């Protein structure tokens, strides 16, 4: 039993993560690392990092999360303009995670990188709103699908007359 608890904590503290991108011949977005060797041409969208962290964010893993986000951004060949956090596996956050997300948003903004979120579930959306982080980052930077986040990225330089069709 003790080993199981230790294993669970280790997986929570250092979960799988992925930078998502396009793979020729495969619809949708995929973990680039999974497809680099088998599918030549697996790549991210230039200027955009779509990042998935496969665990809820909490005190036990936020430093690991932040370090891996920054590493993913640094690994890009093209300068990153937008960072999309795919939150499909982040069903909840604690106060430490909220603080870390706010710090990350500020750090990225200082580097000229727009911080956005996609696939935000309602419970997480409420937590972000209650914490004030949603107001800080701007609700226009929260997308309910990856495709609308990509469309937001593609339309970033064009003036918009309406909301971003979340």
């Amino acid at each position: 039993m003790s080993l199981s608890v230790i294993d669970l904590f280790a997986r929570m503290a250092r979960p799988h993560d992925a930078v998502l991108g396009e793979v020729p011949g495969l619809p949708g977005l995929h973990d680039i690392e999974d497809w680099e060797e088998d599918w030549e041409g697996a790549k991210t969208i230039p200027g955009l990092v779509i990042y998935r962290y496969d665990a809820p964010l909490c005190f036990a893993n936020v430093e690991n999360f932040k370090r891996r986000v920054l590493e993913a951004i640094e690994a890009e060949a093209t300068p990153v303009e937008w960072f999309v956090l795919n939150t499909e596996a982040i069903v909840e956050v604690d106060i430490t995670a909220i603080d870390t997300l706010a710090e990350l948003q500020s750090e990225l903004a200082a580097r000229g990188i727009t911080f956005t979120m996609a696939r935000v579930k309602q419970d997480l959306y409420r937590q972000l709103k209650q914490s004030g982080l949603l107001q800080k980052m701007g609700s226009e930077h929260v997308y309910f699908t990856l495709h609308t986040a990509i469309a937001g990225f593609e339309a970033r330089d064009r003036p918009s007359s309406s909301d971003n069709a979340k």
Side-chain angles (χ1 to χ4, degrees):
M1 181 75 133
S2 297
L3 290 176
S4 294
V5 171
I6 290 169
D7 181 55
L8 176 65
F9 187 74
R11 280 187 275 135
M12 179 76 153
R14 292 183 194 90
H16 179 267
D17 68 342
V19 173
L20 303 178
E22 299 169 330
V23 177
L26 287 178
L29 296 167
H30 304 277
D31 181 345
I32 293 298
E33 194 173 285
D34 285 351
W35 295 95
E36 280 177 323
E37 293 178 25
D38 298 331
W39 290 75
E40 196 169 312
K43 62 182 177 7
T44 58
I45 298 167
L48 175 66
V49 169
I50 302 172
Y51 179 81
R52 187 185 71 221
Y53 195 73
D54 293 337
L57 287 178
C58 65
F59 71 94
N61 62 17
V62 291
E63 289 304 317
N64 174 267
F65 163 79
K66 186 176 175 182
R67 178 181 52 78
R68 287 162 76 176
V69 163
L70 296 173
E71 287 172 357
I73 290 170
E74 292 302 319
E76 288 296 300
T78 305
V80 175
E81 298 175 43
W82 266 40
F83 174 81
V84 176
L85 177 59
N86 176 354
T87 65
E88 68 184 288
I90 303 172
V91 293
E92 62 185 358
V93 291
D94 65 12
I95 190 66
T96 306
I98 291 287
D99 291 345
T100 301
L101 288 170
E103 288 172 17
L104 180 61
Q105 188 272 336
S106 294
E107 284 181 39
L108 295 182
R111 295 167 65 175
I113 300 171
T114 302
F115 179 87
T116 67
M117 293 182 182
R119 302 207 55 190
V120 178
K121 295 175 180 70
Q122 288 301 315
D123 288 343
L124 178 59
Y125 188 86
R126 278 196 254 350
Q127 286 182 290
L128 296 171
K129 190 172 183 177
Q130 289 172 347
S131 72
L133 181 58
L134 187 62
Q135 293 77 4
K136 179 181 180 191
M137 63 183 282
S139 60
E140 71 275 10
H141 291 127
V142 174
Y143 298 89
F144 295 105
T145 70
L146 292 174
H147 295 295
T148 55
I150 293 169
F153 169 72
E154 291 170 345
R156 69 196 178 282
D157 295 327
R158 286 183 259 146
S160 176
S161 60
S162 65
D163 199 14
N164 55 22
K166 295 176 186 174

